[in-house]
Amino acid sequence: MYRSHTCGELQAQDINKEVTLSGWVQKSRDKGFIIWTDLRDRYGVTQLVFDEQRTPKAVFSEAQSLGREFVIRINGRVIERESKNPNMPTGDIEVLVKDLTILNKAETPPFTIENETDGGEDIRMKYRYLDIRRNPVRNNLVFRHQVAMNVRNYLSKAGFIEVETPYLIKSTPEGARDFVVPSRMNEGQFYALPQSPQTFKQLLMVGGMDKYFQIVKCFRDEDLRADRQPEFTQIDCEMSFVEQEDILNIFEGLTRHLLKEIKDISIAEFPRMTYDEAMKTYGNDKPDIRFDMKFGDLTELAQQKEFKIFKEAELVVGIAVPGAASFTRKEIDKLIDWVKRPQVGALGMVYAKYNEDGSFKSSVDKFYDQEDLKKWAEVTNAKPGDLICVLSGPTQKTRTQLSALRMELAERLNLRNPEEFAPLWVVDFPLLEWDEETERYHAMHHPFTSPKPEDIALLDSDPGKVRANAYDLVLNGNEIGGGSIRIHDKKTQALMFNYLGFIPEEAKAQFGFLMDAFEYGAPPHGGIAFGFDRLVAILGGQETIRDFIAFPKNNNGRDVMIDAPAPIDQEQLNELGLGIREVSKA
């Protein structure tokens, strides 16, 4: 028997019990005549004691050779600990060891296996299996499991059936680039790894499954950014005979359930906001509403005076930063430098301090008097003690820049409390978006999204104004879920493909199987997919998904632990029909 108890469960009531424990040596303290060793497993830490007087000599001698991370088994008796540790569950006891077996020796680890480690991120990713032994990483993985089980329990009780869909599918031209897999048996042909199970879950609705879900791996060969993984996990869901309201209600329920079960937090309201409103009010379609700083459109007011920068701008827009009138000139200059960074791209920033006495001091006092600035304060909802920050330029670009500034200021002012949760539905997205590079429309979500019925007529006259029957669930400034009501008839789907630039032959080649299925009685249906990694991270009070994934890739998409991706040998390439062929010479 390797263990009668785990290293986290022995307490005062177990004193005088004979026990067997197994685990890893956290550390040893050798005083010459007595050795204390912390033994660790997934469940906790128990202090062992090897006493020169009470421990067999051979066992005591062997204990002197123990190093960090040795795997051992011990037999011994639970005794009361003289110097108790109230900070650990096993802090009232220790185990007087009678027998010791070294199950496996260990090299000295490249970083300390403790909560606060001396290992940098790169070295910890290379030795991820050692990093997982640390409480913060292991606890994140246990937390991820708890969230997954709560998702499964909620959806199962709501009548959803979990169905696995294929990983080897057909490559499609929409969305991000696919990861492709060569077929040995069909030389020159390739599978793709799914970016989502979209078409399969729609086919399950045609098949009459009614309510489907899957916690599923998805893959996108995208240019990587910080905190984006080439493989990620979704909670993928689809329902038949539903309208948008049905889906929003079910998944509000799921989110409430998770917040209550995982965080013991009750959420009363899920406010709703149109895409247009989100862009005008916050400058992006996933606003963090835990704090205010709503945009105030100052264009009409600002352009009444002869300040050239504002006069020539398409949009002049500002925010009121709470309590920031106390910022020094040096702090404001740093803020101006921040918005001028290439990542943000603003040419500058105008500011106005709303002093506690009701007066104003601005960087444009030469052009705007106290009455003008008072109107700015009214539009931005500024109060005495606030700082009004104003950007100007092209409409969309300026909104994006001010949105970035708003989030940066919220970080600096500690307004983004990770233990506060503010969900929000964003609805009525544009169906199509214009791509300057290809000079054609692309689906903002995907080509199976249904347009709002009342907007279908606009497809011919003004396709950019057609709204999608689509919705995103935002939590604390992060999109955690998105979905839509789907097209479920062949005629409308063919029309959608046409507006996306597919000729009929291309649409048939890529999606003929789905179009054919619609001819056999497809029900009205819709669904949603949650980004599971992101959801877990936010519920865990963080925004870094890598900390909640067992074996993540780095920012370059590499697994530095197993050194992947990696070349494969020429024989394998030849088998796959990918061998390098010699060019014949005439």
Side-chain angles (χ1 to χ4, degrees), residues 508-521:
K508 176 71 175 174
Q510 294 291 338
F511 303 108
F513 63 94
L514 184 65
M515 304 277 275
D516 291 345
F518 285 169
E519 293 194 287
Y520 291 92

Side-chain angles (χ1 to χ4, degrees), residues 312-350:
E312 295 177 351
E314 187 178 1
L315 175 70
V316 182
V317 63
I319 54 173
V321 186
S326 61
F327 279 14
T328 64
R329 180 56 190 268
K330 187 176 181 181
E331 287 175 311
I332 293 175
D333 286 344
K334 285 183 178 179
L335 209 55
I336 294 171
D337 289 340
W338 189 89
V339 300
K340 286 181 175 180
R341 299 180 316 143
Q343 299 94 318
V344 181
L347 297 177
M349 183 186 85
V350 167

Side-chain angles (χ1 to χ4, degrees), residues 296-306 310-311 313-317 368 372 375-376 379:
D297 190 335
L298 301 170
T299 310
E300 186 176 344
L301 288 173
Q303 291 183 342
Q304 290 175 3
K305 298 298 177 72
E306 295 306 314
F310 285 175
K311 200 81 173 172
E314 187 178 1
L315 175 70
V316 182
V317 63
Y368 299 94
D372 294 325
K375 292 176 182 176
W376 289 18
V379 172

Side-chain angles (χ1 to χ4, degrees), residues 197-241:
Q198 181 61 45
T199 54
F200 288 101
K201 66 180 180 177
Q202 291 191 247
L203 291 171
L204 286 169
M205 296 304 100
V206 177
M209 289 303 295
D210 196 67
K211 292 181 179 179
Y212 141 94
F213 86 99
Q214 185 180 189
I215 299 181
V216 59
K217 278 283 188 185
C218 301
F219 309 84
R220 290 180 186 170
D221 188 11
E222 295 181 301
D223 294 333
L224 294 167
R225 299 198 302 260
D227 209 34
R228 175 179 282 178
Q229 293 283 304
E231 54 179 311
F232 56 96
T233 305
Q234 284 186 180
I235 309 168
D236 200 58
C237 308
E238 199 80 3
M239 304 167 67
S240 291
F241 302 109

Side-chain angles (χ1 to χ4, degrees), residues 49-338:
V49 59
F50 300 86
D51 188 322
E52 194 173 40
Q53 299 299 320
R54 294 178 290 173
T55 300
K57 287 185 178 179
V59 174
F60 186 84
S61 176
E62 193 165 23
Q64 292 177 310
S65 70
L66 293 178
R68 283 181 179 266
E69 302 306 310
F70 276 38
V71 185
I72 64 173
R73 176 180 61 192
I74 63 94
N75 296 310
R77 181 168 57 89
V78 181
I79 62 175
E80 186 174 2
R81 186 167 169 171
E82 287 186 15
S83 180
K84 294 181 173 58
N85 185 344
N87 297 318
M88 55 191 293
T90 61
D92 290 340
I93 60 92
E94 57 190 6
V95 177
L96 177 62
V97 179
K98 295 181 179 178
D99 184 58
L100 166 65
T101 303
I102 296 176
L103 300 173
N104 216 333
K105 295 183 179 181
E107 297 289 334
T108 301
F111 54 88
T112 54
I113 314 296
E114 295 179 357
N115 289 0
E116 298 297 327
T117 182
D118 56 358
E121 187 175 17
D122 290 342
I123 193 74
R124 287 189 292 109
M125 286 190 72
K126 182 174 176 62
Y127 296 94
R128 182 65 167 178
Y129 47 86
L130 297 180
D131 203 26
I132 289 172
R133 294 181 189 174
R134 297 192 309 113
N135 284 333
V137 180
R138 183 177 63 248
N139 291 344
N140 282 349
L141 297 181
V142 173
F143 183 80
R144 181 185 177 104
H145 160 75
Q146 292 169 343
V147 176
M149 291 304 295
N150 274 281
V151 168
R152 284 194 163 94
N153 290 339
Y154 175 88
L155 292 175
S156 295
K157 287 179 181 177
F160 286 78
I161 304 298
E162 186 164 14
V163 181
E164 296 177 42
T165 53
Y167 279 156
L168 296 175
I169 66 168
K170 185 177 186 178
S171 182
T172 58
E174 285 292 313
R177 285 182 291 273
D178 291 322
F179 282 102
V180 295
V181 180
S183 170
R184 179 182 60 81
M185 293 180 290
N186 300 276
E187 187 173 331
Q189 296 184 321
F190 296 82
Y191 299 105
L193 299 179
Q195 296 181 34
S196 85
Q198 181 61 45
T199 54
F200 288 101
K201 66 180 180 177
Q202 291 191 247
L203 291 171
L204 286 169
M205 296 304 100
V206 177
M209 289 303 295
D210 196 67
K211 292 181 179 179
Y212 141 94
F213 86 99
Q214 185 180 189
I215 299 181
V216 59
K217 278 283 188 185
C218 301
F219 309 84
R220 290 180 186 170
D221 188 11
E222 295 181 301
D223 294 333
L224 294 167
R225 299 198 302 260
D227 209 34
R228 175 179 282 178
Q229 293 283 304
E231 54 179 311
F232 56 96
T233 305
Q234 284 186 180
I235 309 168
D236 200 58
C237 308
E238 199 80 3
M239 304 167 67
S240 291
F241 302 109
V242 290
E243 296 176 336
Q244 177 175 297
E245 197 66 26
D246 301 306
I247 293 173
L248 268 54
N249 288 335
I250 282 284
F251 292 99
E252 277 185 23
L254 172 61
T255 309
R256 281 195 177 94
H257 173 78
L258 292 176
L259 286 168
K260 184 63 180 173
E261 292 297 316
I262 300 295
K263 305 296 292 185
D264 196 25
I265 291 174
S266 297
I267 298 291
E269 294 184 1
F270 281 64
R272 299 183 187 183
M273 184 180 298
T274 67
Y275 171 85
D276 286 343
E277 184 183 355
M279 297 303 294
K280 288 176 182 176
T281 309
Y282 297 101
N284 70 62
D285 57 5
K286 48 181 184 296
D288 190 335
I289 59 171
R290 286 175 292 181
F291 54 94
D292 208 4
M293 286 196 274
K294 294 179 180 178
F295 289 11
D297 190 335
L298 301 170
T299 310
E300 186 176 344
L301 288 173
Q303 291 183 342
Q304 290 175 3
K305 298 298 177 72
E306 295 306 314
F307 182 49
K308 186 178 179 183
I309 292 173
F310 285 175
K311 200 81 173 172
E312 295 177 351
E314 187 178 1
L315 175 70
V316 182
V317 63
I319 54 173
V321 186
S326 61
F327 279 14
T328 64
R329 180 56 190 268
K330 187 176 181 181
E331 287 175 311
I332 293 175
D333 286 344
K334 285 183 178 179
L335 209 55
I336 294 171
D337 289 340
W338 189 89

Side-chain angles (χ1 to χ4, degrees), residues 433-442:
E433 57 184 345
W434 182 257
D435 187 300
E436 296 289 348
E437 189 174 325
T438 59
E439 295 188 338
R440 67 182 181 92
Y441 281 106
H442 288 265

